[in-house]
Amino acid sequence: MPLLNKLRTAVPGTPGGDPAARSLSRLRTALTLFFALDGFLFAGWVVRIPAIKEQTGSSPSDLGLALLGVSAGAVVTMTLTGRLCRRFGSHPVTVAAAVLLSLSIALPPLTHSALTLGLVLLVFGTAYGGINVAMNSAAVDLVAALRRPVMPSFHAAFSLGGMFGAGLGALVAGGLSPTAHLLGLTVAGLMLTAVAGPVLLRHPCPAPPEALPAEKAPGGRRLDRRARGAVAVFGVIALCTAYGEGAMADWGALHLEQDLAAHPGAAAAGYSLFALAMTAGRLSGTALLQRLGQTRTLVAGGATAAVGMLLGALAPTVWLALAGFAVTGLGLANIFPVAVARAGALAGPGGVAAASTLGYGGMLLGPPAIGFLADWFSLPVALTTVAVLAGGAAVIGYAARNASTVR
């Protein structure tokens, strides 16, 4: 009840018993569950990558090529989902993508070659790209209605779901096959969608409390060059940081197990620790943004993540590497949600789609790139590129400090 009352008072000047406040509260809860589901399912897949790599007999470069299936499916879908959201609404698209994501996660352990793995990951990537654009678009609308910078709280749910998904994977990695594990995640995903989906389908996207003039409304007309450039800037910032999230998801456990001789359970726990740190950072994200503002948050986060990933990639012991992973998670926590929220505020679902395509493109294209670099050099050296791009996000955020779109 205290949490519900807190959500009800999120709309200034609206009494807790007001139907509009109750509707926003239900929407926020349902969207939070979908963000958590996305992180939970994605983490459940990534912690089983080492086992599926062994099952398919893939080399690092073969695995990198197979992971391009996720990248290709997601990036192509992201470019189309903004249009689908404008036509059908972001809520129905979110629910449909959640069903497909839940079903497709059961497919990878059924494969026995890098080629077939890549093909089924196309389906998984399609669902992953669709749900991320759709639910972020829905969240942007809800943030505008609440008139509070609560976007990090949704991404905190994603990280929390990732933490639990990775933690569960760590617990069952030694005793449960990938097939049984991921099939169980399918059942869990469909059950949660059945609970939270009807809330989104019954409630339309909320309109901002103070509607913009028609000529300035996001999506109302083609954006001018300056606005498109601003959306692109936010997309590049998202790309630089999401690259690190993807690297940690797909290669963090393998680095601990292969380069530092960590136990499979400890290796899987590495991503769980990273997700826990991101969750903590995002839960405090609203207060941090209100205190520091967007530019300082971006710069401090990028610099922190760069230092943390250098430690995580080059540390000689498992415990130091885990500490580096945690620092990286804290640094990356709020950069992506800030970038996507600002793009959505500028251009509606189209802005979210553009920034998300760049951002999640970094998350999904980064791991294959790291696979090739690991073959050419080594995995620790390849992971230092995460630090380079995190530092780049800090530089871009600082360079854009005087732009009206970055405050």
Side-chain angles (χ1 to χ4, degrees), residues 391-402:
V395 171
I396 295 170
Y398 181 76
R401 65 192 182 281
N402 294 323

Side-chain angles (χ1 to χ4, degrees), residues 170-387:
L171 289 175
V172 305
L176 196 64
S177 70
T179 301
H181 175 202
L182 297 186
L183 183 60
L185 297 188
T186 292
V187 175
L190 292 175
M191 290 177 62
L192 189 145
T193 302
V195 171
V199 178
L200 293 191
L201 296 176
R202 286 196 304 264
H203 294 79
C205 294
E210 297 174 1
L212 295 171
E215 69 272 16
K216 294 183 180 180
R221 67 172 190 173
R222 290 180 63 86
L223 298 176
D224 58 28
R225 182 178 300 177
R226 182 179 180 184
R228 289 198 302 270
V231 169
V233 167
F234 291 123
V236 170
I237 291 173
L239 182 152
C240 289
T241 55
Y243 178 96
E245 292 189 54
M248 290 299 303
D250 286 6
W251 295 104
L254 196 61
H255 167 57
L256 292 173
E257 187 173 341
Q258 171 183 289
D259 300 316
L260 299 177
H263 183 273
Y271 181 72
S272 183
L273 181 62
F274 170 79
L276 175 62
M278 290 199 75
T279 302
R282 286 172 170 172
L283 287 173
S284 60
T286 298
L288 188 67
L289 286 168
Q290 290 173 333
R291 182 177 181 84
L292 299 181
Q294 293 178 2
T295 297
R296 291 179 182 174
T297 300
L298 292 176
V299 173
T304 300
V307 172
M309 198 60 228
L310 285 175
L311 177 62
L314 304 177
T317 67
V318 173
W319 296 111
L320 282 176
L322 290 174
F325 288 0
V327 173
T328 303
L330 286 173
L332 295 180
N334 294 302
I335 302 178
F336 190 94
V338 168
V340 171
R342 291 301 298 151
L346 279 168
V352 173
S356 296
T357 299
L358 284 169
Y360 285 106
M363 178 183 288
L364 299 168
L365 292 173
I370 287 177
F372 290 120
L373 290 171
D375 266 357
W376 294 335
F377 303 103
S378 68
L379 184 53
V381 170
L383 288 173
T384 61
T385 59
V386 174

Side-chain angles (χ1 to χ4, degrees), residues 38 70-86 125-137 242 336 340 349-364:
D38 188 29
V70 181
S71 307
V75 170
V76 170
T77 304
M78 284 175 176
T79 61
L80 301 175
T81 304
R83 297 177 184 177
L84 292 175
C85 289
R86 286 192 294 270
T126 296
Y128 185 72
I131 192 173
N132 276 284
V133 171
M135 69 185 182
N136 273 290
S137 297
F336 190 94
V340 171
V352 173
S356 296
T357 299
L358 284 169
Y360 285 106
M363 178 183 288
L364 299 168

Side-chain angles (χ1 to χ4, degrees), residues 100-131:
L100 182 58
L101 184 69
S102 299
L103 293 173
S104 63
I105 198 172
L107 299 178
L110 303 180
T111 63
H112 296 281
S113 70
L115 176 60
T116 54
L117 177 62
L119 291 175
V120 301
L121 289 180
L122 275 171
V123 181
F124 181 76
T126 296
Y128 185 72
I131 192 173

